[in-house]
Amino acid sequence: VNRVDEPHRLEVEYPGDVPQTLGISLVESNAAGRVAPLGLDSGIEVGEPLPGSEPGWQRQRIVFWPRTRTPLVVLVNRSDTSPAVFGRLAVQAGPARLSPPPNVPPPGRNDSRLAAALLDRPVFPENFGAGQAFDSDADGVWDDWLTFYQGGVRLVEYLKYAGYNSAVIAVACEG
């Protein structure tokens, strides 16, 4: 990765006619140089092909903001009985800011349907690669107000890019 803290897109090719369950994770170290327990996770679930469907390659696209120049991609076969099959992996640098697709109605239009993203855990700073404060005295990292601000800005930018017009976000969970 040449530019950290800017949007990038990971593309994973996979055959659309091979039943499988493939987990995809992006792993990076935090400001203290340690691999953080939370990262960006995605996956692919391909069922049996429908009769008459054409075989071909599909792409899973994951937008992320790298914090380091060397993020790792971990692919995991989530099935005990069948192999995971994938093709080319590619990382593409995006623009400095994401822009919404042209078919998304402008903000404030009352005739659009509700398209809400559900974030059932309040971990959007981690999901969107927000920076953390490094405390050399404690040899650790902390989420500060800048972490949540950067995560919130990236969340809103991604929601618009992906065509959502709202979000349902948990502010407390798991006790």
Side-chain angles (χ1 to χ4, degrees), residues 67-109:
R67 293 181 300 226
T68 65
R69 294 193 182 280
T70 56
L72 299 174
V73 177
V74 178
L75 301 176
V76 179
N77 183 0
R78 307 288 297 173
S79 172
D80 295 338
T81 58
S82 60
V85 183
F86 59 91
R88 187 175 71 94
L89 278 73
V91 174
Q92 302 167 345
R97 296 188 59 85
L98 296 176
S99 57
N103 59 346
V104 174
R109 296 232 349 226

Side-chain angles (χ1 to χ4, degrees), residues 5 9 25 42 44 59 66 72 76 80 87 121 126:
D5 286 330
R9 185 170 62 193
S25 294
S42 185
I44 301 164
R59 286 183 185 85
L72 299 174
V76 179
D80 295 338
R121 295 177 60 206
E126 291 86 354

